[in-house]
Amino acid sequence: MSLAIRLQSASSDFQKLQASMAETVDVRQKLEAQLSENELVKKELANVTPENIVYKQIGSVLVKQDLTDAKSTVETRLEFIKSEIKRIEVQLKEIEGKQEKKKQEVS
Amino acid sequence: MSQQPQTISINDLDISQLADIKKQLEEELNHLTSSFAQLKQAQAKFKSCIDNITEVKPQNKDKVILVPLTNSLYVPGKLSDVDNVIVDIGTGYFVKKTRPQAIKYYKGKVDYIKTNLNALEETIGKKRENLNYLVSALQSKLQNQPETTKS
């Protein structure tokens, strides 16, 4: 009887872990997409010549912006996203480890 | 990731395991094909941008156009600057470019997507092959032992 209860709680724990795993994977995917978008912007800004004017969208208005400002903003964004991805990777590993442990518990 | 177990031990797996793998493969395939369609769409969008830029030509200077304010509300306007366009380069940044520059930018985008599309097509082909192989293995299993595996 207690075995059945233990099994039940273990499997529900396992399911929770799976759900949080899927969530983190989702977050990671979004970060990945942001990263590649920012990389593309960075590449494009590198090609900008002085006669091209850079604008930044604020709400629904385009505001003129300094090229160096724009470049440094994108750079900090890239740094931030990269560190976020690292954080998420660690989280994923943790969840994976917990999952593995639960799996053994169940079987 | 999923290739090795399939090719090596496909005949050692029982029917329910094969069915699981089949389901997984089908899901992957669905995901890939929908990505493919999305990429195609994006490519078409960039292509139409190129077409639009070529319409902003000097002959059309000062001609009256309709400027969309919303999807259904337009106001008349005049084309005053036929040399420059403003291009969305992503994450809220826009760059004012000359027409040839903008066309070059969009062409680059289209080509970039094209290489992705080709790579994706190849992956889809491989997955499909895997799936076909798996299905035939599954079917031969089902035919060979219809009695013993009923659960």
Side-chain angles (χ1 to χ4, degrees):
Chain A
M1 195 50 193
S2 75
L3 194 69
I5 292 168
R6 257 176 50 207
L7 182 66
Q8 208 178 19
S9 84
S11 78
S12 86
D13 281 353
F14 186 67
Q15 261 160 17
K16 266 182 216 150
L17 279 175
Q18 261 180 335
S20 68
M21 179 82 159
E23 218 172 278
T24 4
V25 168
D26 231 32
V27 173
R28 213 192 79 132
Q29 241 162 23
K30 275 196 194 119
L31 282 172
E32 210 83 58
Q34 279 176 11
L35 184 73
S36 62
E37 193 183 357
N38 276 291
E39 296 271 18
L40 283 178
V41 174
K42 187 183 159 193
K43 225 168 82 191
E44 200 43 50
L45 284 178
N47 287 336
V48 166
T49 49
E51 77 255 25
N52 298 132
I53 304 164
V54 180
Y55 297 90
K56 184 165 174 34
Q57 191 175 31
I58 299 171
S60 52
V61 196
L62 290 184
V63 184
K64 253 186 213 174
Q65 236 208 356
D66 201 40
L67 179 60
T68 41
D69 277 359
K71 274 184 180 166
S72 72
T73 314
V74 173
E75 200 57 53
T76 39
R77 257 196 235 157
L78 278 174
E79 287 308 313
F80 174 73
I81 294 168
K82 274 180 195 156
S83 70
E84 277 293 285
I85 286 181
K86 269 195 200 123
R87 198 177 59 88
I88 292 289
E89 291 281 346
V90 173
Q91 248 180 40
L92 271 180
K93 283 239 169 68
E94 258 173 43
I95 298 173
E96 236 165 61
K98 277 186 199 159
Q99 237 177 11
E100 207 49 47
K101 243 165 81 189
K102 277 285 164 208
K103 225 186 220 168
Q104 261 145 27
E105 225 174 274
V106 174
S107 62
Chain B
M1 182 188 83
S2 51
Q3 261 173 358
Q4 274 195 339
Q6 281 159 34
T7 44
I8 290 172
S9 58
I10 192 162
N11 292 316
D12 304 333
L13 296 171
D14 64 30
I15 287 170
S16 76
Q17 278 170 315
L18 281 179
D20 274 353
I21 298 175
K22 182 171 162 259
K23 214 176 109 194
Q24 202 189 324
L25 263 181
E26 273 168 352
E27 267 169 28
E28 279 173 32
L29 204 58
N30 270 340
H31 182 72
L32 289 175
T33 31
S34 80
S35 305
F36 189 81
Q38 275 172 10
L39 273 180
K40 270 263 180 241
Q41 253 174 26
Q43 200 187 30
K45 233 192 244 168
F46 286 133
K47 274 188 181 149
S48 78
C49 282
I50 295 177
D51 290 345
N52 287 339
I53 295 171
T54 53
E55 276 310 308
V56 189
K57 55 195 170 199
Q59 294 97 294
N60 282 343
K61 190 171 167 34
D62 284 336
K63 280 198 183 154
V64 177
I65 52 168
L66 287 174
V67 184
L69 292 184
T70 68
N71 280 338
S72 53
L73 180 62
Y74 296 80
V75 291
K78 246 187 212 165
L79 210 52
S80 62
D81 186 355
V82 287
D83 297 318
N84 294 301
V85 287
I86 295 178
V87 177
D88 182 358
I89 58 166
T91 65
Y93 282 108
F94 291 71
V95 177
K96 191 173 194 174
K97 286 173 179 289
T98 62
R99 285 192 302 129
Q101 275 178 332
I103 290 174
K104 201 175 139 222
Y105 170 78
Y106 283 121
K107 283 217 169 109
K109 285 268 174 207
V110 171
D111 284 344
Y112 175 67
I113 293 179
K114 198 183 270 164
T115 52
N116 277 333
L117 275 175
N118 288 342
L120 195 58
E121 203 166 17
E122 208 174 298
T123 329
I124 289 176
K126 270 187 203 149
K127 285 265 176 230
R128 214 165 255 154
E129 243 169 63
N130 282 351
L131 186 63
N132 285 341
Y133 181 64
L134 190 77
V135 168
S136 65
L138 186 62
Q139 269 165 357
S140 72
K141 278 234 159 143
L142 280 171
Q143 274 167 359
N144 288 341
Q145 33 175 263
E147 300 302 318
T148 46
T149 47
K150 268 185 188 152
S151 53

